[in-house]
Structures are given as structure tokens and as C-alpha cells.
Amino acid sequence: MTTDTTTDTTRGTDGSFLFVLGSSRSDGNTEILARAAAEQLPAGTRQRWVDLARLPLPDFQDGRHETHWPAGENEVALREATLEATDIVLVSPLYWYTLSASTKRYLDYWSGWLSAPGSDFKERMAGRTLWGVTVMADRDEVVADGLVTTLNHSAAYLRMRFGGVLFGNGSRPGQVRNDERAMIRAKTFFRGETPLARFPYEEEDAEG
């Protein structure tokens, strides 16, 4: 396991996956599960791993209606990495039934990038795919509905595709390795369908 802030492993040019690690624990259960899934990506898939604990962002300041948009070094690096990826995977443990604070802060910055001069963020994100990986102490996946809703709706707003969430169970370090169902799911997770994300009212209109 590398200790670099970002790890870039290139295996070709068929795809580009950005894994955004949002845990406060290094080598935590959620990262273990995400790496198990990433091992199954086909040859030719470019992987980049970014640890938000080593590339921290300050609290988001909404400057969308200001003349200038000041951006720090870490923010610029994360924005460029996000825009370079075909697939963004948010790797966050379930904290109080939603994303971790660092992962949510990263998403908050998307709000600023929407209006950053010259970024065309919304237009460039359309059609890309958002995925989630989370590990929680509870065995009932329904308790993570808040996390799933956050990711789906974020993808829907940007007209992205949503690959869903890979769930695992664990609390103590490394415990997710004992979750046989999660490890089996990890082998095929990134082969799943990636439909265009929709808000609930859009799904109702389509059915009607």
C-alpha cells in the first residue's frame, strides 16, 4: 500500500477510474473493499487513487457569485483529477448514515466548480459514471439509503450515470474481509449496468 497522496496506476486507455478515499482511517475496511473491486477491472483501465486525508480541503466557502474564485493547490489537483476521469468512485465509510465529512466536503466543492471560470464542469461531467463503496457496522443495507440518495441525486443533477453502491459489513480493522457476500459482489461490481441517473420524479414521468 503506497503512502503517496495520489497513486496513479495506468494499465491502458480504455477507461479512467478515480477512487476518492474519504475515510479517517488509513487502509480501512472501505478502502479494502474498493481495492478488491478495482482488482477486477479489465486491462486497459487507468486507476488513480486520491486520499482526502492526505489531500485535505478547507471548509467550502460559497464564492459562486463573487468576481474571483480563489482555488488552493489541493482543490485544483482534485478538480483536475475529477475532470480527467471517466468514472468517479466515492469510497466512504457510512458515518451517521451518510458520507464521511471529507467526502461530503469534496462534493460541496463540486458546487463551486460548476461556476469556476472556464471549467464547464456540468457539461464535462455529463455522461460520466459515479459509483460508491461503503462499509458499515449494520448488516441491513437500508440504513445507508441516505448515502445512496446523495450519490444518485448528485449524479442526476449532472446528467451522469450511476453504477450503484457496493456494500460491505465491518467495524474492526480488516473485518470486511470476512464478509463473503461483499467480497463476491466486489468481483463483478464494476461490470454492472450504469444507467443514466434520474430523480424520482423523472422515473415517475417515464413510467407514466
Coordinates of all heavy atoms in Angstrom, one line a residue, residues 78-156:
L78 N -7.6 18.2 -7.2 CA -8.8 17.4 -7.1 C -9.7 17.7 -8.3 O -10.3 16.8 -8.9 CB -9.5 17.5 -5.8 CG -8.8 16.9 -4.6 CD1 -9.5 17.4 -3.3 CD2 -9.0 15.4 -4.7
R79 N -9.9 18.9 -8.6 CA -10.8 19.3 -9.7 C -10.2 18.7 -11.1 O -11.0 18.1 -11.9 CB -10.9 20.8 -9.9 CG -11.9 21.2 -11.0 CD -12.1 22.7 -10.9 NE -10.9 23.5 -11.2 CZ -10.7 24.8 -10.9 NH1 -11.7 25.4 -10.3 NH2 -9.6 25.4 -11.3
E80 N -8.9 18.8 -11.3 CA -8.3 18.3 -12.5 C -8.5 16.7 -12.5 O -8.8 16.2 -13.6 CB -6.9 18.7 -12.6 CG -6.7 20.2 -12.8 CD -5.2 20.6 -12.9 OE1 -4.4 19.7 -12.6 OE2 -4.9 21.7 -13.3
A81 N -8.2 16.1 -11.4 CA -8.4 14.6 -11.3 C -9.8 14.2 -11.6 O -10.0 13.2 -12.3 CB -7.9 14.1 -10.0
T82 N -10.7 15.0 -11.1 CA -12.2 14.6 -11.3 C -12.5 14.8 -12.8 O -13.2 13.9 -13.4 CB -13.0 15.6 -10.5 OG1 -12.7 15.4 -9.1 CG2 -14.5 15.3 -10.7
L83 N -12.1 15.8 -13.4 CA -12.4 16.1 -14.8 C -11.7 15.1 -15.8 O -12.2 14.9 -16.9 CB -12.2 17.5 -15.2 CG -13.1 18.6 -14.5 CD1 -12.6 20.0 -14.8 CD2 -14.5 18.4 -15.1
E84 N -10.6 14.6 -15.4 CA -9.9 13.7 -16.2 C -10.4 12.3 -16.2 O -10.1 11.4 -17.1 CB -8.4 13.6 -15.8 CG -7.6 14.9 -16.1 CD -6.2 14.8 -15.5 OE1 -5.9 13.8 -14.8 OE2 -5.4 15.8 -15.6
A85 N -11.3 11.9 -15.2 CA -11.8 10.6 -15.0 C -13.1 10.3 -15.8 O -13.9 11.2 -16.0 CB -12.0 10.3 -13.6
T86 N -13.2 9.1 -16.3 CA -14.5 8.7 -16.9 C -15.4 8.2 -15.9 O -16.6 8.2 -16.0 CB -14.2 7.6 -18.0 OG1 -13.6 6.4 -17.3 CG2 -13.3 8.0 -19.1
D87 N -14.8 7.7 -14.8 CA -15.6 7.1 -13.7 C -15.0 7.6 -12.3 O -13.8 7.6 -12.1 CB -15.5 5.6 -13.7 CG -16.1 4.9 -14.9 OD1 -15.5 5.1 -16.0 OD2 -17.2 4.4 -14.8
I88 N -15.9 8.1 -11.5 CA -15.5 8.6 -10.2 C -16.1 7.6 -9.1 O -17.4 7.4 -9.1 CB -16.0 10.0 -9.9 CG1 -15.3 11.0 -10.9 CG2 -15.7 10.4 -8.5 CD1 -16.1 11.3 -12.1
V89 N -15.3 7.1 -8.3 CA -15.7 6.2 -7.2 C -15.5 6.8 -5.9 O -14.4 7.0 -5.5 CB -15.0 4.8 -7.3 CG1 -15.6 3.8 -6.3 CG2 -14.9 4.3 -8.7
L90 N -16.6 7.1 -5.2 CA -16.5 7.7 -3.8 C -16.4 6.5 -2.8 O -17.4 5.7 -2.7 CB -17.7 8.6 -3.5 CG -17.9 9.8 -4.5 CD1 -19.0 10.7 -4.0 CD2 -16.5 10.6 -4.6
V91 N -15.3 6.4 -2.1 CA -15.0 5.4 -1.2 C -15.1 5.9 0.2 O -14.2 6.5 0.7 CB -13.6 4.8 -1.5 CG1 -13.3 3.6 -0.6 CG2 -13.5 4.4 -2.9
S92 N -16.3 5.8 0.8 CA -16.6 6.4 2.1 C -17.3 5.4 3.1 O -18.3 4.8 2.7 CB -17.5 7.6 1.9 OG -17.9 8.1 3.2
P93 N -16.7 5.3 4.3 CA -17.5 4.5 5.3 C -18.8 5.2 5.6 O -19.0 6.4 5.3 CB -16.6 4.5 6.5 CG -15.4 5.3 6.2 CD -15.5 5.9 4.8
L94 N -19.7 4.5 6.1 CA -21.0 5.0 6.5 C -20.9 5.7 7.8 O -20.7 5.0 8.9 CB -22.1 4.0 6.6 CG -23.5 4.5 6.8 CD1 -24.0 5.2 5.5 CD2 -24.5 3.3 7.1
Y95 N -20.9 7.0 7.9 CA -20.8 7.8 9.1 C -22.1 8.5 9.4 O -22.5 9.3 8.6 CB -19.7 8.9 9.0 CG -18.3 8.3 9.0 CD1 -17.2 9.1 8.6 CD2 -18.0 7.1 9.5 CE1 -15.9 8.7 8.6 CE2 -16.7 6.6 9.5 CZ -15.6 7.4 9.1 OH -14.3 6.9 9.1
W96 N -22.8 8.1 10.4 CA -24.1 8.7 10.8 C -25.0 8.6 9.6 O -25.7 9.6 9.2 CB -24.0 10.1 11.4 CG -23.4 10.1 12.7 CD1 -22.1 10.4 13.1 CD2 -24.1 9.7 13.9 NE1 -22.0 10.2 14.5 CE2 -23.2 9.7 15.0 CE3 -25.4 9.2 14.2 CZ2 -23.6 9.4 16.3 CZ3 -25.8 8.9 15.5 CH2 -24.9 9.0 16.5
Y97 N -25.0 7.5 8.9 CA -26.0 7.1 7.9 C -25.8 7.9 6.6 O -26.7 7.9 5.8 CB -27.4 7.2 8.4 CG -27.5 6.5 9.7 CD1 -27.6 7.2 10.9 CD2 -27.5 5.1 9.8 CE1 -27.7 6.6 12.1 CE2 -27.6 4.5 11.0 CZ -27.7 5.2 12.2 OH -27.7 4.5 13.4
T98 N -24.6 8.5 6.4 CA -24.4 9.2 5.1 C -22.8 9.1 4.9 O -22.1 8.4 5.5 CB -24.9 10.6 5.2 OG1 -24.8 11.2 3.8 CG2 -24.2 11.5 6.2
L99 N -22.4 10.0 4.0 CA -21.0 10.1 3.6 C -20.2 10.7 4.8 O -20.7 11.4 5.6 CB -20.8 11.0 2.4 CG -21.5 10.6 1.1 CD1 -21.5 11.7 0.1 CD2 -20.8 9.4 0.5
S100 N -18.9 10.4 4.8 CA -18.0 11.0 5.7 C -17.9 12.5 5.5 O -18.2 12.9 4.4 CB -16.6 10.3 5.6 OG -16.0 10.7 4.4
A101 N -17.4 13.2 6.5 CA -17.3 14.7 6.3 C -16.4 15.1 5.2 O -16.7 16.0 4.4 CB -16.8 15.3 7.6
S102 N -15.2 14.4 5.0 CA -14.3 14.8 4.0 C -14.9 14.5 2.6 O -14.6 15.2 1.6 CB -13.0 14.0 4.1 OG -13.1 12.6 4.1
T103 N -15.6 13.4 2.5 CA -16.2 13.0 1.2 C -17.3 14.1 0.8 O -17.4 14.5 -0.3 CB -16.8 11.6 1.2 OG1 -15.9 10.7 1.7 CG2 -17.3 11.2 -0.2
K104 N -18.1 14.4 1.8 CA -19.2 15.4 1.6 C -18.6 16.7 1.2 O -19.1 17.5 0.4 CB -20.1 15.5 2.8 CG -21.2 16.6 2.7 CD -22.1 16.3 1.5 CE -23.3 17.2 1.6 NZ -23.0 18.7 1.5
R105 N -17.5 17.1 1.9 CA -16.8 18.4 1.6 C -16.3 18.4 0.1 O -16.4 19.4 -0.6 CB -15.6 18.6 2.5 CG -15.0 20.0 2.4 CD -13.8 20.2 3.3 NE -14.3 20.1 4.7 CZ -14.0 19.1 5.6 NH1 -13.2 18.2 5.2 NH2 -14.4 19.2 6.8
Y106 N -15.8 17.2 -0.3 CA -15.4 17.1 -1.7 C -16.5 17.4 -2.7 O -16.4 18.1 -3.7 CB -14.8 15.7 -1.9 CG -14.6 15.3 -3.4 CD1 -13.7 15.9 -4.2 CD2 -15.4 14.3 -3.9 CE1 -13.5 15.5 -5.5 CE2 -15.3 13.9 -5.2 CZ -14.3 14.5 -6.0 OH -14.2 14.1 -7.3
L107 N -17.7 16.8 -2.4 CA -18.9 17.0 -3.2 C -19.3 18.5 -3.1 O -19.8 19.1 -4.1 CB -20.0 16.1 -2.7 CG -20.0 14.7 -3.2 CD1 -21.2 13.9 -2.7 CD2 -19.9 14.6 -4.7
D108 N -19.2 19.1 -1.9 CA -19.5 20.5 -1.8 C -18.7 21.4 -2.8 O -19.3 22.4 -3.4 CB -19.3 21.0 -0.4 CG -20.3 20.5 0.6 OD1 -21.4 20.0 0.2 OD2 -20.1 20.6 1.8
Y109 N -17.5 21.0 -3.0 CA -16.7 21.8 -3.9 C -17.2 21.6 -5.4 O -16.9 22.5 -6.2 CB -15.2 21.3 -3.8 CG -14.4 22.1 -2.8 CD1 -14.6 21.8 -1.4 CD2 -13.6 23.2 -3.1 CE1 -13.9 22.5 -0.5 CE2 -12.9 23.9 -2.2 CZ -13.1 23.6 -0.9 OH -12.4 24.4 0.1
W110 N -17.9 20.6 -5.6 CA -18.5 20.5 -7.0 C -19.4 21.7 -7.2 O -19.5 22.2 -8.4 CB -19.3 19.2 -7.1 CG -18.5 18.0 -7.3 CD1 -17.1 17.8 -6.9 CD2 -18.9 16.7 -7.8 NE1 -16.7 16.5 -7.1 CE2 -17.8 15.8 -7.7 CE3 -20.1 16.2 -8.3 CZ2 -17.9 14.5 -8.1 CZ3 -20.2 14.9 -8.7 CH2 -19.1 14.0 -8.6
S111 N -20.0 22.2 -6.2 CA -20.9 23.4 -6.4 C -20.1 24.6 -6.9 O -20.6 25.3 -7.7 CB -21.6 23.7 -5.0 OG -22.4 22.7 -4.6
G112 N -18.9 24.8 -6.3 CA -18.1 25.8 -6.8 C -17.5 25.6 -8.2 O -17.4 26.6 -9.0
W113 N -17.2 24.4 -8.5 CA -16.6 24.1 -9.8 C -17.7 24.3 -10.9 O -17.3 24.5 -12.1 CB -16.1 22.6 -9.8 CG -15.0 22.4 -8.8 CD1 -14.3 23.4 -8.2 CD2 -14.5 21.2 -8.4 NE1 -13.4 22.8 -7.3 CE2 -13.5 21.5 -7.4 CE3 -14.8 19.8 -8.6 CZ2 -12.8 20.4 -6.8 CZ3 -14.1 18.8 -8.0 CH2 -13.1 19.1 -7.0
L114 N -18.9 24.2 -10.6 CA -20.0 24.5 -11.6 C -19.8 25.9 -12.2 O -20.2 26.1 -13.4 CB -21.4 24.4 -11.0 CG -21.8 22.9 -10.6 CD1 -23.1 23.0 -9.8 CD2 -22.1 22.2 -11.9
S115 N -19.3 26.8 -11.4 CA -19.2 28.2 -11.9 C -17.8 28.7 -12.0 O -17.6 29.9 -12.3 CB -20.1 29.1 -11.1 OG -19.6 29.1 -9.7
A116 N -16.8 27.8 -11.8 CA -15.4 28.2 -11.9 C -15.1 28.6 -13.4 O -15.5 27.9 -14.3 CB -14.5 27.1 -11.5
P117 N -14.5 29.8 -13.6 CA -14.2 30.3 -14.9 C -13.5 29.2 -15.8 O -12.5 28.7 -15.4 CB -13.4 31.5 -14.7 CG -13.7 31.9 -13.3 CD -13.9 30.7 -12.5
G118 N -14.1 29.0 -16.9 CA -13.5 28.1 -17.9 C -13.6 26.6 -17.6 O -13.0 25.8 -18.4
S119 N -14.3 26.2 -16.5 CA -14.3 24.8 -16.2 C -15.3 24.0 -17.0 O -15.1 22.8 -17.3 CB -14.5 24.6 -14.7 OG -15.8 24.8 -14.4
D120 N -16.4 24.6 -17.3 CA -17.5 23.9 -18.0 C -17.8 22.6 -17.2 O -18.1 21.5 -17.9 CB -17.2 23.6 -19.4 CG -17.0 24.9 -20.2 OD1 -17.7 25.8 -20.0 OD2 -16.1 24.9 -21.1
F121 N -17.8 22.6 -15.9 CA -17.9 21.4 -15.1 C -19.1 20.6 -15.4 O -19.0 19.4 -15.6 CB -17.8 21.8 -13.6 CG -17.7 20.6 -12.7 CD1 -16.4 20.0 -12.6 CD2 -18.7 20.2 -11.9 CE1 -16.3 18.9 -11.7 CE2 -18.6 19.1 -11.1 CZ -17.4 18.4 -11.0
K122 N -20.3 21.2 -15.4 CA -21.5 20.4 -15.6 C -21.5 19.8 -16.9 O -21.9 18.6 -17.1 CB -22.7 21.3 -15.4 CG -24.1 20.5 -15.4 CD -25.2 21.4 -15.0 CE -26.5 20.6 -14.8 NZ -27.6 21.5 -14.4
E123 N -21.2 20.5 -18.0 CA -21.2 19.9 -19.3 C -20.1 18.8 -19.4 O -20.4 17.8 -20.1 CB -20.8 21.0 -20.3 CG -21.9 22.1 -20.5 CD -21.9 23.1 -19.4 OE1 -20.9 23.1 -18.5 OE2 -22.8 24.0 -19.3
R124 N -19.0 18.9 -18.8 CA -18.0 17.9 -18.9 C -18.2 16.7 -18.1 O -17.8 15.6 -18.4 CB -16.6 18.5 -18.6 CG -16.1 19.6 -19.5 CD -14.9 20.3 -19.1 NE -13.7 19.4 -19.1 CZ -12.5 19.8 -18.7 NH1 -12.3 21.1 -18.3 NH2 -11.5 19.0 -18.7
M125 N -19.0 16.8 -17.0 CA -19.3 15.7 -16.2 C -20.5 14.8 -16.8 O -20.6 13.6 -16.4 CB -19.7 16.1 -14.8 CG -18.5 16.8 -14.0 SD -17.2 15.6 -13.6 CE -17.9 14.7 -12.3
A126 N -21.3 15.4 -17.6 CA -22.4 14.7 -18.2 C -21.9 13.4 -18.9 O -21.0 13.5 -19.7 CB -23.2 15.6 -19.1
G127 N -22.6 12.3 -18.6 CA -22.3 11.1 -19.3 C -21.2 10.2 -18.6 O -21.1 9.1 -18.9
R128 N -20.5 10.8 -17.6 CA -19.6 10.0 -16.9 C -20.3 9.2 -15.8 O -21.5 9.4 -15.7 CB -18.5 10.9 -16.2 CG -17.8 11.8 -17.3 CD -16.8 12.7 -16.7 NE -16.3 13.7 -17.7 CZ -15.1 14.1 -17.8 NH1 -14.1 13.7 -17.0 NH2 -14.8 15.0 -18.7
T129 N -19.6 8.4 -15.1 CA -20.3 7.5 -14.2 C -19.8 7.7 -12.8 O -18.6 7.8 -12.5 CB -20.1 6.0 -14.6 OG1 -20.5 5.8 -15.9 CG2 -20.8 5.1 -13.7
L130 N -20.8 7.7 -11.8 CA -20.5 7.9 -10.4 C -20.8 6.5 -9.7 O -21.8 5.9 -10.0 CB -21.3 9.0 -9.8 CG -21.1 9.3 -8.3 CD1 -19.7 9.9 -8.2 CD2 -22.1 10.3 -7.8
W131 N -19.9 6.1 -8.9 CA -20.0 4.8 -8.1 C -19.8 5.1 -6.7 O -19.2 6.1 -6.3 CB -19.0 3.8 -8.6 CG -18.8 3.5 -10.0 CD1 -18.2 4.3 -10.9 CD2 -19.3 2.4 -10.7 NE1 -18.2 3.7 -12.2 CE2 -18.9 2.5 -12.1 CE3 -20.0 1.2 -10.3 CZ2 -19.2 1.5 -13.0 CZ3 -20.3 0.3 -11.3 CH2 -19.9 0.4 -12.6
G132 N -20.2 4.2 -5.8 CA -20.0 4.3 -4.4 C -19.6 3.0 -3.8 O -20.0 1.9 -4.2
V133 N -18.7 3.1 -2.8 CA -18.3 1.9 -2.0 C -18.4 2.3 -0.5 O -17.8 3.4 -0.2 CB -16.9 1.4 -2.3 CG1 -16.5 0.2 -1.5 CG2 -16.7 1.1 -3.8
T134 N -19.1 1.5 0.3 CA -19.2 1.8 1.7 C -19.2 0.6 2.5 O -19.7 -0.5 2.1 CB -20.4 2.7 2.0 OG1 -20.4 3.2 3.3 CG2 -21.7 1.9 1.8
V135 N -18.6 0.7 3.7 CA -18.7 -0.4 4.7 C -19.3 0.2 6.0 O -19.0 1.3 6.4 CB -17.2 -1.0 5.0 CG1 -17.3 -2.0 6.1 CG2 -16.7 -1.7 3.7
M136 N -20.1 -0.6 6.6 CA -20.8 -0.2 7.8 C -20.9 -1.3 8.8 O -20.7 -2.5 8.5 CB -22.2 0.3 7.4 CG -23.0 -0.7 6.6 SD -24.5 0.0 5.9 CE -25.0 -1.3 4.9
A137 N -21.2 -0.9 10.1 CA -21.3 -1.9 11.1 C -22.6 -2.7 11.0 O -22.7 -3.8 11.4 CB -21.2 -1.2 12.5
D138 N -23.7 -2.0 10.6 CA -25.0 -2.6 10.5 C -25.0 -3.5 9.3 O -24.4 -3.3 8.2 CB -26.0 -1.5 10.3 CG -27.4 -1.9 10.7 OD1 -27.9 -2.9 10.1 OD2 -28.1 -1.3 11.5
R139 N -25.8 -4.6 9.4 CA -25.9 -5.6 8.3 C -27.1 -5.3 7.4 O -27.2 -5.9 6.3 CB -26.0 -7.0 8.9 CG -24.7 -7.5 9.6 CD -24.8 -9.0 10.0 NE -23.6 -9.4 10.5 CZ -22.5 -9.9 9.9 NH1 -22.6 -9.9 8.5 NH2 -21.4 -10.3 10.5
D140 N -27.9 -4.4 7.8 CA -29.1 -4.1 7.0 C -28.7 -2.9 6.1 O -28.5 -1.8 6.5 CB -30.3 -3.7 7.9 CG -31.6 -3.6 7.1 OD1 -31.5 -3.5 5.8 OD2 -32.7 -3.6 7.7
E141 N -28.7 -3.1 4.8 CA -28.2 -2.1 3.8 C -29.2 -0.9 3.8 O -28.8 0.2 3.3 CB -28.0 -2.7 2.5 CG -26.9 -3.7 2.4 CD -26.8 -4.4 1.1 OE1 -27.6 -4.1 0.2 OE2 -25.9 -5.3 1.0
V142 N -30.4 -1.1 4.2 CA -31.4 0.0 4.1 C -30.9 1.2 4.9 O -31.3 2.4 4.6 CB -32.8 -0.5 4.5 CG1 -32.8 -0.7 6.1 CG2 -33.9 0.5 4.1
V143 N -30.1 1.0 6.0 CA -29.7 2.1 6.8 C -28.8 3.1 6.0 O -28.5 4.2 6.4 CB -29.0 1.7 8.1 CG1 -29.9 0.8 8.9 CG2 -27.6 1.0 7.8
A144 N -28.3 2.7 4.9 CA -27.4 3.5 4.0 C -28.2 4.2 2.9 O -27.6 4.8 2.0 CB -26.3 2.7 3.4
D145 N -29.5 4.2 3.0 CA -30.3 4.9 2.0 C -30.0 6.3 1.8 O -30.0 6.9 0.6 CB -31.8 4.7 2.3 CG -32.4 3.4 1.9 OD1 -31.6 2.6 1.4 OD2 -33.6 3.1 2.3
G146 N -29.6 7.0 2.8 CA -29.2 8.4 2.7 C -28.0 8.6 1.9 O -27.9 9.5 1.1
L147 N -27.0 7.7 2.1 CA -25.8 7.8 1.2 C -26.1 7.5 -0.2 O -25.6 8.2 -1.1 CB -24.8 6.8 1.8 CG -23.4 6.7 1.1 CD1 -22.3 6.3 2.1 CD2 -23.4 5.7 -0.1
V148 N -26.9 6.5 -0.5 CA -27.3 6.2 -1.8 C -28.0 7.3 -2.5 O -27.8 7.7 -3.7 CB -28.1 4.9 -1.9 CG1 -28.6 4.6 -3.3 CG2 -27.3 3.7 -1.3
T149 N -29.0 7.9 -1.8 CA -29.7 9.0 -2.3 C -28.8 10.2 -2.7 O -29.0 10.8 -3.7 CB -30.8 9.5 -1.3 OG1 -31.7 8.4 -1.1 CG2 -31.6 10.7 -1.8
T150 N -27.9 10.5 -1.8 CA -26.9 11.6 -2.1 C -26.2 11.4 -3.4 O -26.1 12.3 -4.2 CB -25.9 11.8 -0.9 OG1 -26.6 12.2 0.2 CG2 -24.9 12.8 -1.3
L151 N -25.7 10.2 -3.6 CA -24.9 9.9 -4.8 C -25.8 9.9 -6.0 O -25.4 10.4 -7.1 CB -24.2 8.5 -4.6 CG -23.2 8.4 -3.5 CD1 -22.4 7.1 -3.6 CD2 -22.2 9.6 -3.5
N152 N -26.9 9.2 -6.0 CA -27.8 9.2 -7.1 C -28.3 10.6 -7.5 O -28.2 10.9 -8.7 CB -29.1 8.3 -6.8 CG -30.0 8.3 -8.0 OD1 -29.8 7.6 -9.0 ND2 -31.1 9.1 -7.9
H153 N -28.7 11.4 -6.6 CA -29.2 12.7 -6.9 C -28.1 13.6 -7.4 O -28.3 14.5 -8.3 CB -29.9 13.3 -5.7 CG -31.2 12.7 -5.4 ND1 -31.6 11.5 -6.0 CD2 -32.2 13.1 -4.6 CE1 -32.8 11.2 -5.5 NE2 -33.2 12.1 -4.6
S154 N -26.9 13.5 -6.9 CA -25.8 14.3 -7.4 C -25.5 13.9 -8.8 O -25.3 14.8 -9.7 CB -24.5 14.0 -6.5 OG -24.7 14.4 -5.2
A155 N -25.5 12.6 -9.1 CA -25.3 12.2 -10.5 C -26.4 12.6 -11.4 O -26.2 13.1 -12.5 CB -25.2 10.6 -10.5
A156 N -27.7 12.6 -10.9 CA -28.8 13.0 -11.7 C -28.7 14.5 -12.1 O -29.0 14.9 -13.2 CB -30.1 12.7 -11.0

